[in-house]
Amino acid sequence: MASDIVVDVWFADYPFQTNRGEPFLQPLRAQAAAFEARHPGCRIRVRGVDFWTMTHEVSEAVKRGDAPDVAGYYASDTRMALDTKTLQGLPRYVSVSAAIAGRTSVLGEPVLLDDLEPAVRDYYTVAGDLPCVPLSATTTVLYSNLTLLRRHGLSEPPRTWHELRTASAAAGVTWANHGWLFQQAVAAQGGLLADAGNGRRGTARTVDLAGPEMLAWVEFWRDLHADGLFRYSGTIEDWEGGFRAFAGGEVALLIDSSKAAGDLVGIGREAGFEVAVSDVPHNEHARYAGNFVSGDALWLADGPDRVKRDLALAFMLSLLRPEAVAEWQRSNGFLPVTRAGQRVLDDEGWFAAHPHERAALAQLRRSDRSPAALGPVVGGLTRIDEVLAAAMHDVLVAGADPAERFAAATVAAQRIVAEHLQSTVD
């Protein structure tokens, strides 16, 4: 209808299908249609944007004057979202906490932010404020081919780096050379990558990629590879290569995203081997602090039209309805981000039939939720991920000294942070 209020929503899109073989965003399009039915006169116009290019697409749209009312940013782009400005130099996004303004519902949609899984809520909380609505959540977990491990006399997944080395000596291990895994390893040991409390008390201005926690991880990884226990494809960010190696029985151990749990357990079942999903092994010489979430969150554009802004906010909140949260887990394997959504899955027997889906949640609940354990909020973090991976490649392939190479990586990362800070100056 011509009189409809149109709310433009850009979701981060991925080259995946749902567990039913539908396009990745189909469950969210269905939620948009359900919202429209509850709110006559509102139309939710959904667009999928490649998650790699979302920040660029939004920036260009701001310049054109047609940026969306709601945008989905990948977790590592949280600082980029916080620092995105309008053409007038004002923050583009309003904090959802501020927009809710103490209400328990917005246009009939319940405010369920207090029901968020604590580690998920805390990841996106910066300086005491929750600026966005978490949508998708994943974390790193360990996948173990128990059938293969048992052939080598090992009865359970490794829990520490020492046990991981022992198991790898028997059956091999792999993971992607990607910056996210470095961040996770540092967080698990209680290390900080950035100042200002990892960028959680304010804007981070300095980074350190050569701290003791980072070097402990890099040296452990280097030694596994040097001793022939770690399978490295030689390609940076080769998630697919690690997945194939595990699925094909070339290695018994894989560190990967929790989103892959359903796929890997199913592949193992079809191939005749049992897959266990468990915590990522930790450094036994450091107190375990926690592993953090990644995924996507929705950000609300500010503006003078409070009717339209409330409709946009109400739609964002509607995606936290228990059944919507449960459906997002069923369809795409993301962690259910609210406790009520988890209860829906529990009550219907989903977790009983898919016990592997509990592992990541259990790991998150062991986090101390300190600034270290929650991971960094830093401008240009996705580019810093590339710097980390390139440094590790040189260590693994060219024999570079870890301390020297990651000191150089710190210099490169600091330039990225400085460029981001300069870009935010009015």
Side-chain angles (χ1 to χ4, degrees):
M1 295 176 58
S3 60
D4 284 353
I5 296 176
V6 178
V7 175
D8 282 303
V9 179
W10 290 7
F11 287 115
D13 203 358
Y14 296 81
F16 307 132
Q17 289 186 323
T18 70
N19 296 331
R20 303 185 187 93
E22 305 165 317
F24 175 77
L25 291 179
Q26 183 56 38
L28 296 178
R29 294 184 185 280
Q31 294 294 338
F35 181 86
E36 291 173 341
R38 293 195 301 273
H39 299 270
C42 175
R43 183 157 69 92
I44 304 297
R45 187 159 56 193
V46 172
R47 176 187 168 192
V49 178
D50 189 315
F51 79 101
W52 283 114
T53 62
M54 178 67 82
T55 57
H56 174 74
E57 294 279 351
V58 172
S59 294
E60 292 301 305
V62 169
K63 295 174 187 175
R64 295 192 306 268
D66 60 358
D69 303 296
V70 177
Y73 281 76
Y74 196 63
S76 57
D77 287 326
T78 296
R79 187 74 250 172
M80 308 293 278
L82 286 166
D83 292 340
T84 296
K85 302 287 183 63
T86 66
L87 292 178
Q88 292 73 38
L90 300 173
R92 164 130 183 94
Y93 301 110
V94 60
S95 158
V96 296
S97 298
I100 290 168
R103 290 176 285 180
T104 58
S105 67
V106 176
L107 303 180
E109 302 293 340
V111 175
L112 300 172
L113 298 181
D114 287 343
D115 192 51
L116 286 166
E117 183 68 33
V120 175
R121 180 186 174 97
D122 288 356
Y123 176 86
Y124 289 103
T125 298
V126 178
D129 179 66
L130 183 64
C132 53
V133 174
L135 173 65
S136 305
T138 65
T139 190
T140 46
V141 292
L142 176 70
Y143 297 96
S144 299
N145 180 333
L146 287 180
T147 305
L148 187 52
L149 286 180
R150 286 169 184 148
R151 289 178 193 162
H152 293 276
L154 301 169
S155 61
E156 59 185 13
R159 295 163 297 179
T160 66
W161 288 3
H162 175 73
E163 291 179 3
L164 178 60
R165 180 177 177 83
T166 299
S168 301
V173 66
T174 193
W175 55 77
N177 179 11
H178 187 278
W180 186 43
L181 298 185
F182 294 86
Q183 294 176 42
Q184 291 280 3
V186 171
Q189 298 173 78
L192 297 171
L193 285 177
D195 66 337
N198 239 5
R200 296 186 166 278
R201 292 197 299 267
T203 301
R205 299 184 177 278
T206 62
V207 292
D208 182 4
L209 306 188
E213 295 84 8
M214 179 69 77
L215 292 181
W217 168 247
V218 170
E219 290 167 2
F220 171 73
W221 184 351
R222 175 202 60 186
D223 292 346
L224 282 178
H225 182 259
D227 292 340
L229 311 182
F230 177 84
R231 183 190 181 280
Y232 183 44
S233 69
T235 301
I236 289 173
E237 299 183 0
D238 187 10
W239 294 96
E240 185 178 349
F243 189 101
R244 287 198 308 267
F246 183 83
E250 298 173 43
V251 297
L253 301 162
L254 169 70
I255 298 176
D256 206 321
S257 167
S258 58
K259 186 184 182 305
D263 290 336
L264 287 171
V265 169
I267 286 170
R269 186 180 300 116
E270 292 178 8
F273 62 87
E274 181 183 354
V275 176
V277 185
S278 61
D279 292 1
V280 176
H282 66 273
N283 182 355
E284 62 272 17
H285 300 299
R287 184 184 65 82
Y288 176 69
N291 287 83
F292 60 89
V293 298
S294 190
D296 303 287
L298 302 177
W299 294 73
L300 176 66
D302 202 359
D305 188 340
R306 289 299 187 259
V307 173
K308 185 174 184 178
R309 196 181 82 172
D310 262 7
L311 280 168
L313 175 60
F315 175 64
M316 294 163 64
L317 294 172
S318 77
L319 298 178
L320 294 183
R321 284 175 172 259
E323 181 52 44
V325 169
E327 175 58 16
W328 196 225
Q329 207 286 330
R330 291 189 214 101
S331 62
N332 277 310
F334 290 112
L335 303 180
V337 296
T338 66
R339 288 166 289 195
Q342 294 161 23
R343 286 194 295 273
V344 169
L345 293 165
D346 225 352
D347 291 345
E348 70 184 25
W350 174 263
F351 283 130
H354 305 83
H356 51 273
E357 300 289 359
R358 287 189 184 274
L361 284 171
Q363 179 178 249
L364 287 181
R365 288 171 184 166
R366 282 187 274 277
S367 170
D368 66 14
R369 288 153 51 201
S370 61
L374 292 172
V377 177
V378 180
L381 190 56
T382 54
R383 292 173 60 196
I384 293 173
D385 283 345
E386 297 171 1
V387 169
L388 284 163
M392 194 69 214
H393 182 83
D394 289 347
V395 170
L396 296 177
V397 175
D401 177 77
E404 293 177 1
R405 185 61 185 84
F406 278 77
T410 297
V411 174
Q414 191 60 53
R415 283 198 294 267
I416 292 170
V417 173
E419 289 171 10
H420 171 74
L421 292 172
Q422 182 60 39
S423 72
T424 66
V425 176
D426 293 338

